[in-house]
mmCIF file with all atom_site columns, all heavy atoms in Angstrom:
data_model
loop_
_atom_site.group_PDB
_atom_site.id
_atom_site.type_symbol
_atom_site.label_atom_id
_atom_site.label_alt_id
_atom_site.label_comp_id
_atom_site.label_asym_id
_atom_site.label_entity_id
_atom_site.label_seq_id
_atom_site.pdbx_PDB_ins_code
_atom_site.Cartn_x
_atom_site.Cartn_y
_atom_site.Cartn_z
_atom_site.occupancy
_atom_site.B_iso_or_equiv
_atom_site.pdbx_formal_charge
_atom_site.auth_seq_id
_atom_site.auth_comp_id
_atom_site.auth_asym_id
_atom_site.auth_atom_id
_atom_site.pdbx_PDB_model_num
ATOM   1   N N   . TYR A 1 39  ? -1.050  9.204   -3.977 1.00 0.00 ? 39  TYR A N   1
ATOM   2   C CA  . TYR A 1 39  ? 0.307   9.626   -3.602 1.00 0.00 ? 39  TYR A CA  1
ATOM   3   C C   . TYR A 1 39  ? 0.749   10.617  -4.659 1.00 0.00 ? 39  TYR A C   1
ATOM   4   O O   . TYR A 1 39  ? 1.168   10.235  -5.747 1.00 0.00 ? 39  TYR A O   1
ATOM   5   C CB  . TYR A 1 39  ? 1.240   8.412   -3.507 1.00 0.00 ? 39  TYR A CB  1
ATOM   6   C CG  . TYR A 1 39  ? 0.784   7.490   -2.401 1.00 0.00 ? 39  TYR A CG  1
ATOM   7   C CD1 . TYR A 1 39  ? -0.400  6.759   -2.530 1.00 0.00 ? 39  TYR A CD1 1
ATOM   8   C CD2 . TYR A 1 39  ? 1.489   7.384   -1.226 1.00 0.00 ? 39  TYR A CD2 1
ATOM   9   C CE1 . TYR A 1 39  ? -0.874  5.975   -1.500 1.00 0.00 ? 39  TYR A CE1 1
ATOM   10  C CE2 . TYR A 1 39  ? 1.039   6.585   -0.191 1.00 0.00 ? 39  TYR A CE2 1
ATOM   11  C CZ  . TYR A 1 39  ? -0.139  5.880   -0.333 1.00 0.00 ? 39  TYR A CZ  1
ATOM   12  O OH  . TYR A 1 39  ? -0.593  5.108   0.685  1.00 0.00 ? 39  TYR A OH  1
ATOM   13  N N   . SER A 1 97  ? -2.071  -6.386  -8.753 1.00 0.00 ? 97  SER A N   1
ATOM   14  C CA  . SER A 1 97  ? -2.883  -5.178  -8.945 1.00 0.00 ? 97  SER A CA  1
ATOM   15  C C   . SER A 1 97  ? -2.818  -4.221  -7.755 1.00 0.00 ? 97  SER A C   1
ATOM   16  O O   . SER A 1 97  ? -3.341  -3.118  -7.825 1.00 0.00 ? 97  SER A O   1
ATOM   17  C CB  . SER A 1 97  ? -4.339  -5.603  -9.149 1.00 0.00 ? 97  SER A CB  1
ATOM   18  O OG  . SER A 1 97  ? -4.787  -6.288  -7.992 1.00 0.00 ? 97  SER A OG  1
ATOM   19  N N   . GLY A 1 98  ? -2.225  -4.656  -6.639 1.00 0.00 ? 98  GLY A N   1
ATOM   20  C CA  . GLY A 1 98  ? -2.191  -3.771  -5.471 1.00 0.00 ? 98  GLY A CA  1
ATOM   21  C C   . GLY A 1 98  ? -1.814  -4.526  -4.225 1.00 0.00 ? 98  GLY A C   1
ATOM   22  O O   . GLY A 1 98  ? -1.570  -5.748  -4.245 1.00 0.00 ? 98  GLY A O   1
ATOM   23  N N   . GLY A 1 99  ? -1.781  -3.799  -3.110 1.00 0.00 ? 99  GLY A N   1
ATOM   24  C CA  . GLY A 1 99  ? -1.347  -4.394  -1.859 1.00 0.00 ? 99  GLY A CA  1
ATOM   25  C C   . GLY A 1 99  ? -2.231  -5.560  -1.440 1.00 0.00 ? 99  GLY A C   1
ATOM   26  O O   . GLY A 1 99  ? -1.732  -6.590  -0.947 1.00 0.00 ? 99  GLY A O   1
ATOM   27  N N   . THR A 1 100 ? -3.524  -5.424  -1.620 1.00 0.00 ? 100 THR A N   1
ATOM   28  C CA  . THR A 1 100 ? -4.431  -6.482  -1.186 1.00 0.00 ? 100 THR A CA  1
ATOM   29  C C   . THR A 1 100 ? -4.144  -7.772  -1.932 1.00 0.00 ? 100 THR A C   1
ATOM   30  O O   . THR A 1 100 ? -4.102  -8.855  -1.337 1.00 0.00 ? 100 THR A O   1
ATOM   31  C CB  . THR A 1 100 ? -5.897  -6.019  -1.372 1.00 0.00 ? 100 THR A CB  1
ATOM   32  O OG1 . THR A 1 100 ? -6.087  -4.846  -0.573 1.00 0.00 ? 100 THR A OG1 1
ATOM   33  C CG2 . THR A 1 100 ? -6.885  -7.091  -0.951 1.00 0.00 ? 100 THR A CG2 1
ATOM   34  N N   . GLU A 1 101 ? -3.911  -7.673  -3.249 1.00 0.00 ? 101 GLU A N   1
ATOM   35  C CA  . GLU A 1 101 ? -3.623  -8.891  -4.008 1.00 0.00 ? 101 GLU A CA  1
ATOM   36  C C   . GLU A 1 101 ? -2.257  -9.461  -3.630 1.00 0.00 ? 101 GLU A C   1
ATOM   37  O O   . GLU A 1 101 ? -2.089  -10.684 -3.516 1.00 0.00 ? 101 GLU A O   1
ATOM   38  C CB  . GLU A 1 101 ? -3.687  -8.635  -5.520 1.00 0.00 ? 101 GLU A CB  1
ATOM   39  C CG  . GLU A 1 101 ? -3.580  -9.944  -6.301 1.00 0.00 ? 101 GLU A CG  1
ATOM   40  C CD  . GLU A 1 101 ? -3.584  -9.781  -7.822 1.00 0.00 ? 101 GLU A CD  1
ATOM   41  O OE1 . GLU A 1 101 ? -3.668  -8.653  -8.322 1.00 0.00 ? 101 GLU A OE1 1
ATOM   42  O OE2 . GLU A 1 101 ? -3.487  -10.822 -8.504 1.00 0.00 ? 101 GLU A OE2 1
ATOM   43  N N   . ILE A 1 103 ? -0.818  -9.265  -0.757 1.00 0.00 ? 103 ILE A N   1
ATOM   44  C CA  . ILE A 1 103 ? -0.995  -9.894  0.553  1.00 0.00 ? 103 ILE A CA  1
ATOM   45  C C   . ILE A 1 103 ? -1.769  -11.198 0.422  1.00 0.00 ? 103 ILE A C   1
ATOM   46  O O   . ILE A 1 103 ? -1.436  -12.216 1.041  1.00 0.00 ? 103 ILE A O   1
ATOM   47  C CB  . ILE A 1 103 ? -1.689  -8.887  1.517  1.00 0.00 ? 103 ILE A CB  1
ATOM   48  C CG1 . ILE A 1 103 ? -0.672  -7.815  1.918  1.00 0.00 ? 103 ILE A CG1 1
ATOM   49  C CG2 . ILE A 1 103 ? -2.287  -9.583  2.731  1.00 0.00 ? 103 ILE A CG2 1
ATOM   50  C CD1 . ILE A 1 103 ? -1.251  -6.625  2.630  1.00 0.00 ? 103 ILE A CD1 1
ATOM   51  N N   . HIS A 1 131 ? -2.494  -4.642  8.159  1.00 0.00 ? 131 HIS A N   1
ATOM   52  C CA  . HIS A 1 131 ? -3.578  -4.183  7.285  1.00 0.00 ? 131 HIS A CA  1
ATOM   53  C C   . HIS A 1 131 ? -4.732  -5.195  7.237  1.00 0.00 ? 131 HIS A C   1
ATOM   54  O O   . HIS A 1 131 ? -4.501  -6.413  7.246  1.00 0.00 ? 131 HIS A O   1
ATOM   55  C CB  . HIS A 1 131 ? -3.029  -3.935  5.880  1.00 0.00 ? 131 HIS A CB  1
ATOM   56  C CG  . HIS A 1 131 ? -3.949  -3.150  5.025  1.00 0.00 ? 131 HIS A CG  1
ATOM   57  N ND1 . HIS A 1 131 ? -4.923  -3.751  4.260  1.00 0.00 ? 131 HIS A ND1 1
ATOM   58  C CD2 . HIS A 1 131 ? -4.059  -1.823  4.831  1.00 0.00 ? 131 HIS A CD2 1
ATOM   59  C CE1 . HIS A 1 131 ? -5.594  -2.798  3.622  1.00 0.00 ? 131 HIS A CE1 1
ATOM   60  N NE2 . HIS A 1 131 ? -5.086  -1.619  3.938  1.00 0.00 ? 131 HIS A NE2 1
ATOM   61  N N   . ALA A 1 133 ? -6.252  -6.270  4.878  1.00 0.00 ? 133 ALA A N   1
ATOM   62  C CA  . ALA A 1 133 ? -6.146  -7.187  3.737  1.00 0.00 ? 133 ALA A CA  1
ATOM   63  C C   . ALA A 1 133 ? -5.752  -8.589  4.194  1.00 0.00 ? 133 ALA A C   1
ATOM   64  O O   . ALA A 1 133 ? -6.112  -9.586  3.556  1.00 0.00 ? 133 ALA A O   1
ATOM   65  C CB  . ALA A 1 133 ? -5.132  -6.657  2.732  1.00 0.00 ? 133 ALA A CB  1
ATOM   66  N N   . PHE A 1 134 ? -5.033  -8.694  5.318  1.00 0.00 ? 134 PHE A N   1
ATOM   67  C CA  . PHE A 1 134 ? -4.672  -10.032 5.823  1.00 0.00 ? 134 PHE A CA  1
ATOM   68  C C   . PHE A 1 134 ? -5.914  -10.765 6.342  1.00 0.00 ? 134 PHE A C   1
ATOM   69  O O   . PHE A 1 134 ? -6.071  -11.964 6.129  1.00 0.00 ? 134 PHE A O   1
ATOM   70  C CB  . PHE A 1 134 ? -3.626  -9.921  6.955  1.00 0.00 ? 134 PHE A CB  1
ATOM   71  C CG  . PHE A 1 134 ? -2.275  -9.513  6.458  1.00 0.00 ? 134 PHE A CG  1
ATOM   72  C CD1 . PHE A 1 134 ? -1.857  -8.197  6.563  1.00 0.00 ? 134 PHE A CD1 1
ATOM   73  C CD2 . PHE A 1 134 ? -1.416  -10.437 5.877  1.00 0.00 ? 134 PHE A CD2 1
ATOM   74  C CE1 . PHE A 1 134 ? -0.608  -7.809  6.080  1.00 0.00 ? 134 PHE A CE1 1
ATOM   75  C CE2 . PHE A 1 134 ? -0.178  -10.066 5.391  1.00 0.00 ? 134 PHE A CE2 1
ATOM   76  C CZ  . PHE A 1 134 ? 0.225   -8.748  5.499  1.00 0.00 ? 134 PHE A CZ  1
ATOM   77  N N   . SER A 1 175 ? 4.866   -5.388  9.713  1.00 0.00 ? 175 SER A N   1
ATOM   78  C CA  . SER A 1 175 ? 4.596   -4.307  8.768  1.00 0.00 ? 175 SER A CA  1
ATOM   79  C C   . SER A 1 175 ? 5.765   -3.311  8.755  1.00 0.00 ? 175 SER A C   1
ATOM   80  O O   . SER A 1 175 ? 6.333   -3.005  9.791  1.00 0.00 ? 175 SER A O   1
ATOM   81  C CB  . SER A 1 175 ? 3.327   -3.540  9.163  1.00 0.00 ? 175 SER A CB  1
ATOM   82  O OG  . SER A 1 175 ? 2.221   -4.404  9.201  1.00 0.00 ? 175 SER A OG  1
ATOM   83  N N   . PRO A 1 177 ? 6.103   0.297   7.033  1.00 0.00 ? 177 PRO A N   1
ATOM   84  C CA  . PRO A 1 177 ? 5.526   0.385   8.376  1.00 0.00 ? 177 PRO A CA  1
ATOM   85  C C   . PRO A 1 177 ? 4.051   0.008   8.310  1.00 0.00 ? 177 PRO A C   1
ATOM   86  O O   . PRO A 1 177 ? 3.495   -0.222  7.235  1.00 0.00 ? 177 PRO A O   1
ATOM   87  C CB  . PRO A 1 177 ? 5.671   1.879   8.689  1.00 0.00 ? 177 PRO A CB  1
ATOM   88  C CG  . PRO A 1 177 ? 5.492   2.550   7.363  1.00 0.00 ? 177 PRO A CG  1
ATOM   89  C CD  . PRO A 1 177 ? 6.010   1.588   6.312  1.00 0.00 ? 177 PRO A CD  1
ATOM   90  N N   . CYS A 1 178 ? 3.391   0.016   9.497  1.00 0.00 ? 178 CYS A N   1
ATOM   91  C CA  . CYS A 1 178 ? 1.943   -0.219  9.529  1.00 0.00 ? 178 CYS A CA  1
ATOM   92  C C   . CYS A 1 178 ? 1.222   1.080   9.139  1.00 0.00 ? 178 CYS A C   1
ATOM   93  O O   . CYS A 1 178 ? 1.768   2.170   9.336  1.00 0.00 ? 178 CYS A O   1
ATOM   94  C CB  . CYS A 1 178 ? 1.492   -0.678  10.914 1.00 0.00 ? 178 CYS A CB  1
ATOM   95  S SG  . CYS A 1 178 ? 1.526   0.607   12.170 1.00 0.00 ? 178 CYS A SG  1
ATOM   96  N N   . TYR A 1 179 ? 0.028   0.933   8.630  1.00 0.00 ? 179 TYR A N   1
ATOM   97  C CA  . TYR A 1 179 ? -0.736  2.108   8.175  1.00 0.00 ? 179 TYR A CA  1
ATOM   98  C C   . TYR A 1 179 ? -1.183  3.014   9.329  1.00 0.00 ? 179 TYR A C   1
ATOM   99  O O   . TYR A 1 179 ? -1.001  4.242   9.245  1.00 0.00 ? 179 TYR A O   1
ATOM   100 C CB  . TYR A 1 179 ? -1.959  1.634   7.370  1.00 0.00 ? 179 TYR A CB  1
ATOM   101 C CG  . TYR A 1 179 ? -2.828  2.756   6.882  1.00 0.00 ? 179 TYR A CG  1
ATOM   102 C CD1 . TYR A 1 179 ? -2.613  3.342   5.633  1.00 0.00 ? 179 TYR A CD1 1
ATOM   103 C CD2 . TYR A 1 179 ? -3.866  3.267   7.669  1.00 0.00 ? 179 TYR A CD2 1
ATOM   104 C CE1 . TYR A 1 179 ? -3.400  4.393   5.191  1.00 0.00 ? 179 TYR A CE1 1
ATOM   105 C CE2 . TYR A 1 179 ? -4.642  4.322   7.240  1.00 0.00 ? 179 TYR A CE2 1
ATOM   106 C CZ  . TYR A 1 179 ? -4.415  4.881   6.005  1.00 0.00 ? 179 TYR A CZ  1
ATOM   107 O OH  . TYR A 1 179 ? -5.185  5.935   5.575  1.00 0.00 ? 179 TYR A OH  1
ATOM   108 N N   . ASP A 1 204 ? 4.981   -6.809  5.295  1.00 0.00 ? 204 ASP A N   1
ATOM   109 C CA  . ASP A 1 204 ? 4.087   -5.968  4.509  1.00 0.00 ? 204 ASP A CA  1
ATOM   110 C C   . ASP A 1 204 ? 4.754   -4.605  4.358  1.00 0.00 ? 204 ASP A C   1
ATOM   111 O O   . ASP A 1 204 ? 4.654   -3.756  5.242  1.00 0.00 ? 204 ASP A O   1
ATOM   112 C CB  . ASP A 1 204 ? 2.720   -5.842  5.177  1.00 0.00 ? 204 ASP A CB  1
ATOM   113 C CG  . ASP A 1 204 ? 1.819   -4.924  4.376  1.00 0.00 ? 204 ASP A CG  1
ATOM   114 O OD1 . ASP A 1 204 ? 2.184   -4.574  3.230  1.00 0.00 ? 204 ASP A OD1 1
ATOM   115 O OD2 . ASP A 1 204 ? 0.736   -4.541  4.884  1.00 0.00 ? 204 ASP A OD2 1
ATOM   116 N N   . ALA A 1 205 ? 5.454   -4.454  3.237  1.00 0.00 ? 205 ALA A N   1
ATOM   117 C CA  . ALA A 1 205 ? 6.092   -3.171  2.919  1.00 0.00 ? 205 ALA A CA  1
ATOM   118 C C   . ALA A 1 205 ? 5.327   -2.509  1.778  1.00 0.00 ? 205 ALA A C   1
ATOM   119 O O   . ALA A 1 205 ? 5.919   -1.872  0.908  1.00 0.00 ? 205 ALA A O   1
ATOM   120 C CB  . ALA A 1 205 ? 7.548   -3.380  2.555  1.00 0.00 ? 205 ALA A CB  1
ATOM   121 N N   . CYS A 1 206 ? 3.999   -2.702  1.787  1.00 0.00 ? 206 CYS A N   1
ATOM   122 C CA  . CYS A 1 206 ? 3.182   -2.042  0.772  1.00 0.00 ? 206 CYS A CA  1
ATOM   123 C C   . CYS A 1 206 ? 3.447   -0.537  0.804  1.00 0.00 ? 206 CYS A C   1
ATOM   124 O O   . CYS A 1 206 ? 3.545   0.107   -0.230 1.00 0.00 ? 206 CYS A O   1
ATOM   125 C CB  . CYS A 1 206 ? 1.692   -2.323  1.035  1.00 0.00 ? 206 CYS A CB  1
ATOM   126 S SG  . CYS A 1 206 ? 1.242   -3.982  0.485  1.00 0.00 ? 206 CYS A SG  1
ATOM   127 N N   . LEU A 1 207 ? 3.578   0.007   2.013  1.00 0.00 ? 207 LEU A N   1
ATOM   128 C CA  . LEU A 1 207 ? 3.865   1.425   2.147  1.00 0.00 ? 207 LEU A CA  1
ATOM   129 C C   . LEU A 1 207 ? 5.359   1.726   1.999  1.00 0.00 ? 207 LEU A C   1
ATOM   130 O O   . LEU A 1 207 ? 5.749   2.680   1.340  1.00 0.00 ? 207 LEU A O   1
ATOM   131 C CB  . LEU A 1 207 ? 3.392   1.929   3.515  1.00 0.00 ? 207 LEU A CB  1
ATOM   132 C CG  . LEU A 1 207 ? 1.887   2.196   3.621  1.00 0.00 ? 207 LEU A CG  1
ATOM   133 C CD1 . LEU A 1 207 ? 1.474   2.371   5.073  1.00 0.00 ? 207 LEU A CD1 1
ATOM   134 C CD2 . LEU A 1 207 ? 1.539   3.445   2.826  1.00 0.00 ? 207 LEU A CD2 1
ATOM   135 N N   . SER A 1 236 ? 5.656   -7.672  0.368  1.00 0.00 ? 236 SER A N   1
ATOM   136 C CA  . SER A 1 236 ? 4.746   -6.991  -0.552 1.00 0.00 ? 236 SER A CA  1
ATOM   137 C C   . SER A 1 236 ? 5.105   -5.511  -0.583 1.00 0.00 ? 236 SER A C   1
ATOM   138 O O   . SER A 1 236 ? 5.428   -4.929  0.462  1.00 0.00 ? 236 SER A O   1
ATOM   139 C CB  . SER A 1 236 ? 3.283   -7.161  -0.085 1.00 0.00 ? 236 SER A CB  1
ATOM   140 O OG  . SER A 1 236 ? 3.143   -6.869  1.297  1.00 0.00 ? 236 SER A OG  1
ATOM   141 N N   . ASP A 1 238 ? 3.958   -1.796  -2.765 1.00 0.00 ? 238 ASP A N   1
ATOM   142 C CA  . ASP A 1 238 ? 3.062   -1.215  -3.772 1.00 0.00 ? 238 ASP A CA  1
ATOM   143 C C   . ASP A 1 238 ? 3.737   -0.115  -4.592 1.00 0.00 ? 238 ASP A C   1
ATOM   144 O O   . ASP A 1 238 ? 4.132   0.918   -4.040 1.00 0.00 ? 238 ASP A O   1
ATOM   145 C CB  . ASP A 1 238 ? 1.814   -0.635  -3.097 1.00 0.00 ? 238 ASP A CB  1
ATOM   146 C CG  . ASP A 1 238 ? 0.963   -1.716  -2.453 1.00 0.00 ? 238 ASP A CG  1
ATOM   147 O OD1 . ASP A 1 238 ? 1.268   -2.905  -2.668 1.00 0.00 ? 238 ASP A OD1 1
ATOM   148 O OD2 . ASP A 1 238 ? 0.012   -1.353  -1.739 1.00 0.00 ? 238 ASP A OD2 1
ATOM   149 N N   . HIS A 1 240 ? 2.084   1.541   -6.668 1.00 0.00 ? 240 HIS A N   1
ATOM   150 C CA  . HIS A 1 240 ? 1.103   2.631   -6.781 1.00 0.00 ? 240 HIS A CA  1
ATOM   151 C C   . HIS A 1 240 ? 0.995   3.447   -5.486 1.00 0.00 ? 240 HIS A C   1
ATOM   152 O O   . HIS A 1 240 ? 0.104   4.276   -5.359 1.00 0.00 ? 240 HIS A O   1
ATOM   153 C CB  . HIS A 1 240 ? -0.260  2.127   -7.254 1.00 0.00 ? 240 HIS A CB  1
ATOM   154 C CG  . HIS A 1 240 ? -1.000  1.190   -6.353 1.00 0.00 ? 240 HIS A CG  1
ATOM   155 N ND1 . HIS A 1 240 ? -1.932  0.281   -6.822 1.00 0.00 ? 240 HIS A ND1 1
ATOM   156 C CD2 . HIS A 1 240 ? -1.010  1.018   -5.020 1.00 0.00 ? 240 HIS A CD2 1
ATOM   157 C CE1 . HIS A 1 240 ? -2.456  -0.392  -5.824 1.00 0.00 ? 240 HIS A CE1 1
ATOM   158 N NE2 . HIS A 1 240 ? -1.911  0.035   -4.705 1.00 0.00 ? 240 HIS A NE2 1
ATOM   159 N N   . LYS A 1 241 ? 1.927   3.220   -4.555 1.00 0.00 ? 241 LYS A N   1
ATOM   160 C CA  . LYS A 1 241 ? 2.010   4.132   -3.389 1.00 0.00 ? 241 LYS A CA  1
ATOM   161 C C   . LYS A 1 241 ? 3.289   4.967   -3.576 1.00 0.00 ? 241 LYS A C   1
ATOM   162 O O   . LYS A 1 241 ? 3.317   5.826   -4.442 1.00 0.00 ? 241 LYS A O   1
ATOM   163 C CB  . LYS A 1 241 ? 1.996   3.305   -2.092 1.00 0.00 ? 241 LYS A CB  1
ATOM   164 C CG  . LYS A 1 241 ? 0.636   2.612   -1.866 1.00 0.00 ? 241 LYS A CG  1
ATOM   165 C CD  . LYS A 1 241 ? 0.497   2.037   -0.475 1.00 0.00 ? 241 LYS A CD  1
ATOM   166 C CE  . LYS A 1 241 ? -0.921  1.602   -0.182 1.00 0.00 ? 241 LYS A CE  1
ATOM   167 N NZ  . LYS A 1 241 ? -1.350  0.342   -0.847 1.00 0.00 ? 241 LYS A NZ  1
ATOM   168 N N   . SER A 1 250 ? 1.633   -3.338  -7.917 1.00 0.00 ? 250 SER A N   1
ATOM   169 C CA  . SER A 1 250 ? 2.310   -3.764  -6.689 1.00 0.00 ? 250 SER A CA  1
ATOM   170 C C   . SER A 1 250 ? 3.200   -4.940  -7.040 1.00 0.00 ? 250 SER A C   1
ATOM   171 O O   . SER A 1 250 ? 3.110   -5.468  -8.166 1.00 0.00 ? 250 SER A O   1
ATOM   172 C CB  . SER A 1 250 ? 1.245   -4.179  -5.655 1.00 0.00 ? 250 SER A CB  1
ATOM   173 O OG  . SER A 1 250 ? 1.834   -4.771  -4.509 1.00 0.00 ? 250 SER A OG  1
ATOM   174 N N   . MET A 1 374 ? -0.969  10.908  5.625  1.00 0.00 ? 374 MET A N   1
ATOM   175 C CA  . MET A 1 374 ? -0.004  10.177  4.791  1.00 0.00 ? 374 MET A CA  1
ATOM   176 C C   . MET A 1 374 ? 0.591   11.236  3.861  1.00 0.00 ? 374 MET A C   1
ATOM   177 O O   . MET A 1 374 ? -0.143  11.895  3.128  1.00 0.00 ? 374 MET A O   1
ATOM   178 C CB  . MET A 1 374 ? -0.768  9.140   3.987  1.00 0.00 ? 374 MET A CB  1
ATOM   179 C CG  . MET A 1 374 ? 0.053   8.498   2.950  1.00 0.00 ? 374 MET A CG  1
ATOM   180 S SD  . MET A 1 374 ? 0.397   6.859   3.452  1.00 0.00 ? 374 MET A SD  1
ATOM   181 C CE  . MET A 1 374 ? -1.230  6.172   3.461  1.00 0.00 ? 374 MET A CE  1
ATOM   182 N N   . TYR A 1 407 ? -12.245 3.424   6.798  1.00 0.00 ? 407 TYR A N   1
ATOM   183 C CA  . TYR A 1 407 ? -11.186 3.247   5.800  1.00 0.00 ? 407 TYR A CA  1
ATOM   184 C C   . TYR A 1 407 ? -11.830 2.399   4.709  1.00 0.00 ? 407 TYR A C   1
ATOM   185 O O   . TYR A 1 407 ? -12.340 1.330   4.988  1.00 0.00 ? 407 TYR A O   1
ATOM   186 C CB  . TYR A 1 407 ? -10.043 2.508   6.488  1.00 0.00 ? 407 TYR A CB  1
ATOM   187 C CG  . TYR A 1 407 ? -8.874  2.129   5.612  1.00 0.00 ? 407 TYR A CG  1
ATOM   188 C CD1 . TYR A 1 407 ? -7.719  2.886   5.600  1.00 0.00 ? 407 TYR A CD1 1
ATOM   189 C CD2 . TYR A 1 407 ? -8.905  0.980   4.851  1.00 0.00 ? 407 TYR A CD2 1
ATOM   190 C CE1 . TYR A 1 407 ? -6.637  2.535   4.830  1.00 0.00 ? 407 TYR A CE1 1
ATOM   191 C CE2 . TYR A 1 407 ? -7.832  0.619   4.067  1.00 0.00 ? 407 TYR A CE2 1
ATOM   192 C CZ  . TYR A 1 407 ? -6.702  1.389   4.062  1.00 0.00 ? 407 TYR A CZ  1
ATOM   193 O OH  . TYR A 1 407 ? -5.624  1.019   3.298  1.00 0.00 ? 407 TYR A OH  1
HETATM 194 C C1  . PLP B 2 .   ? 0.459   -1.267  5.058  1.00 0.00 ? 501 PLP B C1  1
HETATM 195 C C2  . PLP B 2 .   ? -0.541  -1.534  3.974  1.00 0.00 ? 501 PLP B C2  1
HETATM 196 N N1  . PLP B 2 .   ? -0.699  -2.791  3.508  1.00 0.00 ? 501 PLP B N1  1
HETATM 197 C C3  . PLP B 2 .   ? -1.577  -3.080  2.545  1.00 0.00 ? 501 PLP B C3  1
HETATM 198 C C4  . PLP B 2 .   ? -2.364  -2.102  1.978  1.00 0.00 ? 501 PLP B C4  1
HETATM 199 C C5  . PLP B 2 .   ? -3.388  -2.487  0.933  1.00 0.00 ? 501 PLP B C5  1
HETATM 200 O O1  . PLP B 2 .   ? -3.058  -1.936  -0.298 1.00 0.00 ? 501 PLP B O1  1
HETATM 201 P P1  . PLP B 2 .   ? -4.142  -1.738  -1.461 1.00 0.00 ? 501 PLP B P1  1
HETATM 202 O O2  . PLP B 2 .   ? -5.124  -0.733  -0.960 1.00 0.00 ? 501 PLP B O2  1
HETATM 203 O O3  . PLP B 2 .   ? -3.300  -1.291  -2.606 1.00 0.00 ? 501 PLP B O3  1
HETATM 204 O O4  . PLP B 2 .   ? -4.793  -3.046  -1.734 1.00 0.00 ? 501 PLP B O4  1
HETATM 205 C C6  . PLP B 2 .   ? -2.223  -0.782  2.421  1.00 0.00 ? 501 PLP B C6  1
HETATM 206 C C7  . PLP B 2 .   ? -3.040  0.292   1.858  1.00 0.00 ? 501 PLP B C7  1
HETATM 207 O O5  . PLP B 2 .   ? -2.944  1.435   2.241  1.00 0.00 ? 501 PLP B O5  1
HETATM 208 C C8  . PLP B 2 .   ? -1.289  -0.497  3.441  1.00 0.00 ? 501 PLP B C8  1
HETATM 209 O O6  . PLP B 2 .   ? -1.146  0.755   3.918  1.00 0.00 ? 501 PLP B O6  1
#
Side-chain angles (χ1 to χ4, degrees):
Y39 296 70
S97 61
T100 300
E101 188 182 0
I103 286 169
H131 195 272
F134 289 99
S175 301
C178 72
Y179 179 91
D204 178 11
C206 282
L207 281 167
S236 48
D238 294 352
H240 65 206
K241 293 192 169 75
S250 172
M374 170 107 64
Y407 176 99

